[in-house]
Short mmCIF file of all heavy atoms in Angstrom, two decimals:
data_model
loop_
_atom_site.label_atom_id
_atom_site.label_comp_id
_atom_site.label_asym_id
_atom_site.label_seq_id
_atom_site.Cartn_x
_atom_site.Cartn_y
_atom_site.Cartn_z
N ASP A 313 1.23 2.49 -18.17
CA ASP A 313 1.56 1.17 -18.70
C ASP A 313 0.78 0.05 -18.01
O ASP A 313 0.30 -0.85 -18.66
CB ASP A 313 3.05 0.90 -18.58
CG ASP A 313 3.87 1.68 -19.62
OD1 ASP A 313 3.24 2.45 -20.39
OD2 ASP A 313 5.09 1.54 -19.65
N ALA A 314 0.62 0.19 -16.70
CA ALA A 314 -0.16 -0.83 -15.95
C ALA A 314 -1.67 -0.66 -16.25
O ALA A 314 -2.37 -1.66 -16.41
CB ALA A 314 0.14 -0.72 -14.46
N GLY A 315 -2.08 0.59 -16.32
CA GLY A 315 -3.51 0.88 -16.47
C GLY A 315 -4.05 0.46 -17.82
O GLY A 315 -5.22 0.07 -17.93
N GLN A 316 -3.22 0.53 -18.86
CA GLN A 316 -3.72 0.15 -20.18
C GLN A 316 -4.09 -1.32 -20.25
O GLN A 316 -4.85 -1.72 -21.14
CB GLN A 316 -2.69 0.49 -21.26
CG GLN A 316 -2.69 1.98 -21.57
CD GLN A 316 -1.65 2.34 -22.58
OE1 GLN A 316 -0.61 1.68 -22.69
NE2 GLN A 316 -1.91 3.41 -23.34
N ASN A 317 -3.52 -2.14 -19.37
CA ASN A 317 -3.83 -3.57 -19.37
C ASN A 317 -4.96 -3.93 -18.41
O ASN A 317 -5.28 -5.09 -18.27
CB ASN A 317 -2.60 -4.36 -18.97
CG ASN A 317 -1.47 -4.18 -19.94
OD1 ASN A 317 -1.71 -4.14 -21.17
ND2 ASN A 317 -0.25 -4.03 -19.47
N ARG A 318 -5.58 -2.91 -17.84
CA ARG A 318 -6.67 -3.18 -16.87
C ARG A 318 -7.96 -3.51 -17.64
O ARG A 318 -8.12 -3.06 -18.79
CB ARG A 318 -6.91 -1.97 -15.99
CG ARG A 318 -5.73 -1.55 -15.16
CD ARG A 318 -5.56 -2.39 -13.94
NE ARG A 318 -6.73 -2.29 -13.08
CZ ARG A 318 -7.25 -3.30 -12.39
NH1 ARG A 318 -6.66 -4.49 -12.43
NH2 ARG A 318 -8.29 -3.13 -11.62
N PRO A 319 -8.89 -4.24 -17.00
CA PRO A 319 -10.14 -4.59 -17.67
C PRO A 319 -10.90 -3.34 -18.14
O PRO A 319 -11.46 -3.33 -19.22
CB PRO A 319 -10.92 -5.32 -16.61
CG PRO A 319 -9.93 -5.78 -15.58
CD PRO A 319 -8.80 -4.82 -15.66
N ASN A 320 -10.96 -2.33 -17.29
CA ASN A 320 -11.68 -1.09 -17.67
C ASN A 320 -10.75 0.11 -17.47
O ASN A 320 -10.83 0.79 -16.43
CB ASN A 320 -12.94 -0.94 -16.83
CG ASN A 320 -13.91 -2.05 -16.99
OD1 ASN A 320 -14.36 -2.31 -18.10
ND2 ASN A 320 -14.19 -2.77 -15.92
N PRO A 321 -9.90 0.38 -18.42
CA PRO A 321 -8.89 1.47 -18.21
C PRO A 321 -9.61 2.80 -17.96
O PRO A 321 -10.61 3.09 -18.55
CB PRO A 321 -8.13 1.49 -19.53
CG PRO A 321 -8.40 0.25 -20.21
CD PRO A 321 -9.76 -0.23 -19.74
N THR A 322 -9.01 3.57 -17.06
CA THR A 322 -9.59 4.89 -16.74
C THR A 322 -9.11 5.96 -17.68
O THR A 322 -9.70 7.02 -17.81
CB THR A 322 -9.24 5.30 -15.31
OG1 THR A 322 -7.82 5.44 -15.23
CG2 THR A 322 -9.70 4.30 -14.28
N TYR A 323 -7.97 5.74 -18.32
CA TYR A 323 -7.27 6.71 -19.16
C TYR A 323 -7.00 8.00 -18.40
O TYR A 323 -6.92 9.09 -18.98
CB TYR A 323 -8.15 7.02 -20.43
CG TYR A 323 -8.32 5.76 -21.27
CD1 TYR A 323 -9.52 5.07 -21.19
CD2 TYR A 323 -7.30 5.24 -22.01
CE1 TYR A 323 -9.70 3.86 -21.92
CE2 TYR A 323 -7.46 4.03 -22.73
CZ TYR A 323 -8.66 3.36 -22.66
OH TYR A 323 -8.80 2.19 -23.35
N ASN A 324 -6.81 7.88 -17.11
CA ASN A 324 -6.44 9.00 -16.29
C ASN A 324 -5.25 8.55 -15.43
O ASN A 324 -5.44 7.92 -14.41
CB ASN A 324 -7.62 9.41 -15.40
CG ASN A 324 -8.09 10.79 -15.63
OD1 ASN A 324 -7.42 11.57 -16.36
ND2 ASN A 324 -9.21 11.19 -15.05
N TRP A 325 -4.05 8.87 -15.90
CA TRP A 325 -2.86 8.40 -15.18
C TRP A 325 -1.91 9.50 -14.88
O TRP A 325 -1.85 10.50 -15.57
CB TRP A 325 -2.19 7.30 -16.01
CG TRP A 325 -3.12 6.14 -16.25
CD1 TRP A 325 -3.61 5.28 -15.32
CD2 TRP A 325 -3.58 5.65 -17.52
NE1 TRP A 325 -4.39 4.33 -15.91
CE2 TRP A 325 -4.40 4.53 -17.23
CE3 TRP A 325 -3.41 6.04 -18.86
CZ2 TRP A 325 -5.05 3.83 -18.24
CZ3 TRP A 325 -4.08 5.36 -19.84
CH2 TRP A 325 -4.86 4.24 -19.54
N LEU A 326 -1.12 9.30 -13.85
CA LEU A 326 -0.18 10.33 -13.42
C LEU A 326 1.22 10.09 -14.00
O LEU A 326 1.94 11.03 -14.36
CB LEU A 326 -0.06 10.32 -11.88
CG LEU A 326 0.89 11.32 -11.29
CD1 LEU A 326 0.29 12.70 -11.25
CD2 LEU A 326 1.34 10.87 -9.89
N ILE A 327 1.61 8.83 -14.09
CA ILE A 327 2.97 8.50 -14.51
C ILE A 327 2.90 7.52 -15.67
O ILE A 327 1.87 6.89 -15.91
CB ILE A 327 3.81 7.92 -13.37
CG1 ILE A 327 3.25 6.55 -12.89
CG2 ILE A 327 3.86 8.87 -12.18
CD1 ILE A 327 4.09 5.84 -11.86
N LYS A 328 4.04 7.42 -16.40
CA LYS A 328 4.08 6.49 -17.53
C LYS A 328 4.18 5.04 -17.01
O LYS A 328 3.44 4.18 -17.44
CB LYS A 328 5.24 6.85 -18.38
CG LYS A 328 5.47 5.97 -19.62
CD LYS A 328 4.44 6.31 -20.67
CE LYS A 328 4.71 5.42 -21.91
NZ LYS A 328 3.55 4.66 -22.30
N ASN A 329 5.15 4.80 -16.15
CA ASN A 329 5.28 3.43 -15.60
C ASN A 329 6.03 3.47 -14.24
O ASN A 329 6.59 4.48 -13.85
CB ASN A 329 5.99 2.51 -16.59
CG ASN A 329 7.34 2.97 -16.98
OD1 ASN A 329 8.16 3.26 -16.09
ND2 ASN A 329 7.58 3.16 -18.27
N ASP A 330 6.02 2.31 -13.59
CA ASP A 330 6.57 2.28 -12.23
C ASP A 330 8.11 2.31 -12.20
O ASP A 330 8.70 2.48 -11.13
CB ASP A 330 6.02 1.06 -11.43
CG ASP A 330 6.31 -0.26 -12.14
OD1 ASP A 330 6.97 -0.25 -13.20
OD2 ASP A 330 5.85 -1.30 -11.64
N ARG A 331 8.74 2.21 -13.37
CA ARG A 331 10.23 2.31 -13.39
C ARG A 331 10.68 3.73 -13.12
O ARG A 331 11.82 3.94 -12.76
CB ARG A 331 10.76 1.86 -14.75
CG ARG A 331 10.61 0.34 -14.96
CD ARG A 331 11.34 -0.11 -16.23
NE ARG A 331 10.80 0.47 -17.41
CZ ARG A 331 9.71 0.06 -18.06
NH1 ARG A 331 9.04 -0.94 -17.59
NH2 ARG A 331 9.28 0.65 -19.18
N GLN A 332 9.78 4.68 -13.20
CA GLN A 332 10.14 6.05 -12.86
C GLN A 332 10.36 6.26 -11.37
O GLN A 332 10.96 7.22 -10.99
CB GLN A 332 9.01 6.99 -13.35
CG GLN A 332 8.87 7.10 -14.84
CD GLN A 332 7.54 7.78 -15.22
OE1 GLN A 332 6.62 7.14 -15.73
NE2 GLN A 332 7.44 9.06 -14.96
#
Side-chain angles (χ1 to χ4, degrees):
Chain A
D313 285 2
Q316 281 178 332
N317 296 320
R318 300 280 300 143
N320 299 301
T322 62
Y323 300 101
N324 241 351
W325 298 297
L326 178 79
I327 65 175
K328 178 78 178 123
N329 59 54
D330 57 4
R331 290 188 297 279
Q332 292 166 251

